[in-house]
Amino acid sequence: MDKIYDHTKVEEKIYKQWEEGGYFQPEINPTGKPYSIILPPPNANGDLHFGHAMFVVEDILIRYHRMLGDAALWLPGTDHAGTETQFVFEKKLQAEGKSRFDYNRQELFDMIWKYVGENQGGIEKQLRRLGFSLDWSRQKFTLDPDIVAIVKDTFRKMYNDGLIYRDYRLVNYCTRDGTSFSDLEVVHEERVNPLYYIKYGPLTLATTRPETKFGDTAVAVHPDDKRYTEYVGKEIEIETVLGKAKIQVIADESVDPTFGTGVVKITPAHDFADFETGRRHHLAMKQVIGFDGKMNHYAGEFEGLYVKQARAAVVEKMKQLGLLVKVDEQYVSRIGVCYKCKTILEPLPLEQWYVKVKPLIENANKAVDEKLVKIYPQGFVHTLKLWYAGLRDWNISRQNVWGIQIPVWYEIAQEKDFSVSFIDSEKKHMSGQLDEILKTHSWEEIENGLQKVVAPITAKIVFEDQKEKNKKYLPETDTFDTWFSSGQWPYVTLKTSKPGDFEKFYPTSVMETGYDILKAWVSRMLMLGLYVANGKHVTDTKQLEKTVPFRDVVLHGLVNDPLGKKMSKSKGNVVNPLEVADQYGADTVRFALVYGTGLGNDQAMSYAKLDAARKFTNKLWNMARFLEMKKPEGMGSIQSLSLHQLEGFAISQPDKDMVEEVKRFAKEITEYLEKYQFNLAAERLYEFSWHTFADKYIEDVKSRVDTNSYTVLANIYTILLELLHPFMPFVTEEIYSQMGIGDKPLIVTSWPK
RNA sequence: GGAUCUGUAGCUCAGUUGGUUAGAGCGUUCGAUUCACAUUCGAAAGGUCAGAGGUUCGAAUCCUCUCAGGUCCACCA
């Protein structure tokens, strides 16, 4: 054996042996009981980061269960990451002087498909590099045709069950990326937003958004506010930047009489609170800002200005007209911005698809309350339930092409109600009302170059196979929120991987992921998973227990930079786990990540910990070298004995004691793993191997080696290798093979009991 | 504003049903060794477990409050 353990000579070779041996497939233990984990699918277009490296926890569980003799399946896959990937691709287009408006849907989709394809395999290579024993023969992608078909089918079932509906509501809309976002995707930032006090006839009100005044359909005060009682229910005459107008005054509980003047302008089309108020009072919606972020015809002379420009111009005009009472220039408020491009999100009214969350949440809560699904660490149960409690219906429409198209068609009853944008035969980007467009362009031209269809909320909705020959239809051009498809991940992967997988491995045993996506992802899997697996909404507890997507949820923490700051590309403090693995070895990285951090807690990436883990790897290696050296003459290969068999060889008292101690130790490690206390397992393994086995026991046996004591010594070491294998698979396997222990690779030996 | 997590040796962190002298890695100091160990071994110093109060025979661990930091959520114009 080499004097020093050199991971560069070992890891690739060993991984290949494992894979070629078929050890990553559950079929290796054909009669074992099923144990399954679905890998949280990384972005197919992305790179491995430390968050993914934490999936080592899953590998530990899978390797442990494989050694227990279970049919252990760890299924890999990747996610198309709709918004994210399209954003990256559009940036690339931009760099080439192009934009997505230069292409029709199909062209754009194909280009992104090709682009992702070129980067494909990157993630896979990286996951292999860390020694993850994933069953690559079952790898899935969220845009695999069979998966897409199921996701679309789920939509149809839910629509027919009344769990999905279309509504005209405000969305968080990024006018730069041209798409809406779910509440969860909105980033709130504090910004200085001057508060303008504006004269509205006899009243004065305060607003941060004077440019939306063209869309005001009421003015509201608190019902108990005596100052304004005389106006409530009446129409007042006001002077505006566009001349005289009339507006009604309403009373609504939501108005805070202590803020500003206690008077609020109600702009239902451009403010979430006003939208709700508007619905309560049946106010008209007047959209004055377009999806391009510019003022429309309602803004009169301000038409065509961007929101920011319009605000300045309107304020200026109000000054001239003496309508501006005062300005609080220092007013700070929190506003929603696009999480990718940081553009201020406009609340805009749009027809969108919504999931009715209430019935789904009831089941998800039941699953958690009745422990059909257990969450570790337990504290996150509370987080999840609180989130469910406040959840509003889920907007699943995204105006991206990179995704799964919502599979509905709109019947064209009145062409004037529809608007379309498309690339015409001269490669020009066109958009407008359908009836106008049809005067200059043919139907085929529109269909072929289609980019986006906006259908009225009243449009008749059909599925592909329900279309009638003599009618005209246009498809929904929106795609699903990525979480709508990944929310069905355990179901769709097992349904499409290999025949019988679903029946055998669903519900999955463990869902392990970072706590940061508990709400975005785990919550959605619970909501959708129960529905999808039943094909309908069920409430029977017994049935729910059989159809939960996973039994246990295990949540790991984040890996921050060495200074404890969150790693991010913009901060430039990202450390690539593969570079660290190149330098230290995969085993070392794995051990360092697990050691010394409790489940669910964040950790700072620590070079000190890596150094310690590397020394430990080397220590293990040297124990093996010592054993090789001290091997009594004429002894054959080391047989792998069970703890029970070993008792027969322990004759001297110290040997007997040691065998007893190892028995307890193995049990201890097993218990830690069963309770997902990986850090404690790693710490005990380290402590015992080094300070009990090496420092004390080896030192003791040194002076009295004979065939018997050597057999005990070597077998205890073997047991250590077995217990350590899930944590440090490469070095333990290499030692096992070099020492010629046993007749099969370590990865498929039995867990010490 | 709501919720949640964290605050333990110089640094990074373990310590999961409350129980004897509170642990590890790195760092520091002293000694040994180069006989498996780009070393390793032995030993040492170093903590009023953020602070205050409470429950208990007993609290780093449970409760209350305070302080500090992080994260998530939230329609105050």
Side-chain angles (χ1 to χ4, degrees), chain A residues 207-388:
Chain A
T207 180
T208 53
R209 303 214 53 188
E211 76 282 4
T212 62
K213 69 195 301 316
F214 310 113
D216 293 355
T217 48
V219 167
V221 297
H222 194 274
D224 300 335
D225 197 333
K226 301 240 160 36
R227 291 173 293 178
Y228 307 116
T229 317
E230 58 173 304
Y231 300 107
V232 173
K234 300 196 177 121
E235 258 195 352
I236 55 171
E237 193 152 293
I238 60 174
E239 195 189 340
T240 77
V241 288
L242 298 180
K244 289 202 189 308
K246 283 182 176 175
I247 195 160
Q248 57 172 318
V249 180
I250 59 168
D252 195 272
E253 296 277 349
S254 69
V255 179
D256 176 0
T258 65
F259 184 90
T261 59
V263 185
V264 190
K265 70 191 200 64
I266 303 297
T267 322
H270 296 289
D271 183 282
F272 288 101
D274 293 0
F275 177 83
E276 297 294 332
T277 310
R279 285 231 160 157
R280 280 196 293 274
H281 297 268
H282 309 289
L283 302 177
M285 298 251 285
K286 207 167 145 195
Q287 181 175 353
V288 300
I289 300 168
F291 294 100
D292 51 4
K294 293 177 184 172
M295 307 305 294
N296 67 15
H297 61 281
Y298 285 119
E301 64 193 78
F302 303 99
E303 181 177 357
L305 293 180
Y306 281 105
V307 167
K308 213 174 145 187
Q309 302 168 325
R311 184 176 307 174
V314 167
V315 167
E316 188 51 40
K317 183 86 182 277
M318 287 194 299
K319 259 187 211 161
Q320 288 169 17
L321 297 174
L323 296 172
L324 195 64
V325 178
K326 67 168 179 174
V327 184
D328 179 357
E329 293 282 358
Q330 297 309 311
Y331 186 73
V332 174
S333 61
R334 290 177 69 81
I335 49 165
V337 300
C338 174
Y339 80 103
K340 293 310 292 178
C341 71
K342 299 288 175 194
T343 301
I344 295 175
L345 295 173
E346 279 301 332
L348 292 176
L350 191 61
E351 296 87 353
Q352 303 268 280
W353 288 94
Y354 290 87
V355 170
K356 197 189 277 180
V357 296
K358 199 164 165 259
L360 301 179
I361 286 173
E362 275 168 13
N363 272 352
N365 270 324
K366 197 167 179 181
V368 174
D369 290 341
E370 315 225 342
K371 304 259 161 92
L372 312 179
V373 171
K374 297 195 200 92
I375 301 180
Y376 302 85
Q378 248 181 340
F380 286 108
V381 171
H382 190 59
T383 312
L384 182 67
K385 290 184 65 87
L386 269 175
W387 188 70
Y388 278 147

Side-chain angles (χ1 to χ4, degrees), chain A residues 112-270:
Chain A
I112 301 176
W113 183 277
K114 192 168 159 243
Y115 172 68
V116 171
E118 281 162 9
N119 295 342
Q120 211 175 22
I123 276 279
E124 180 180 334
K125 217 179 284 169
Q126 295 166 338
L127 292 168
R128 288 165 179 272
R129 182 74 187 74
L130 290 173
F132 291 173
S133 56
L134 288 152
D135 182 354
W136 296 108
S137 70
R138 286 174 159 90
Q139 192 173 12
K140 302 302 298 180
F141 177 46
T142 44
L143 296 184
D144 286 345
D146 45 5
I147 286 182
V148 169
I150 297 179
V151 170
K152 288 183 172 178
D153 187 53
T154 303
F155 173 87
R156 185 169 184 165
K157 282 184 180 141
M158 290 179 78
Y159 178 72
N160 290 333
D161 282 350
L163 286 169
I164 284 183
Y165 60 92
R166 195 160 177 259
D167 199 7
Y168 186 62
R169 284 196 203 172
L170 294 197
V171 295
N172 302 293
Y173 195 87
C174 175
T175 53
R176 194 190 160 284
D177 289 335
T179 187
S180 64
F181 290 108
S182 75
D183 296 342
L184 208 59
E185 290 168 311
V186 176
V187 176
H188 293 272
E189 278 187 5
E190 232 167 53
R191 297 213 183 156
V192 173
N193 254 339
L195 187 63
Y196 301 94
Y197 287 74
I198 305 169
K199 251 191 195 157
Y200 262 56
L203 305 174
T204 300
L205 56 77
T207 180
T208 53
R209 303 214 53 188
E211 76 282 4
T212 62
K213 69 195 301 316
F214 310 113
D216 293 355
T217 48
V219 167
V221 297
H222 194 274
D224 300 335
D225 197 333
K226 301 240 160 36
R227 291 173 293 178
Y228 307 116
T229 317
E230 58 173 304
Y231 300 107
V232 173
K234 300 196 177 121
E235 258 195 352
I236 55 171
E237 193 152 293
I238 60 174
E239 195 189 340
T240 77
V241 288
L242 298 180
K244 289 202 189 308
K246 283 182 176 175
I247 195 160
Q248 57 172 318
V249 180
I250 59 168
D252 195 272
E253 296 277 349
S254 69
V255 179
D256 176 0
T258 65
F259 184 90
T261 59
V263 185
V264 190
K265 70 191 200 64
I266 303 297
T267 322
H270 296 289

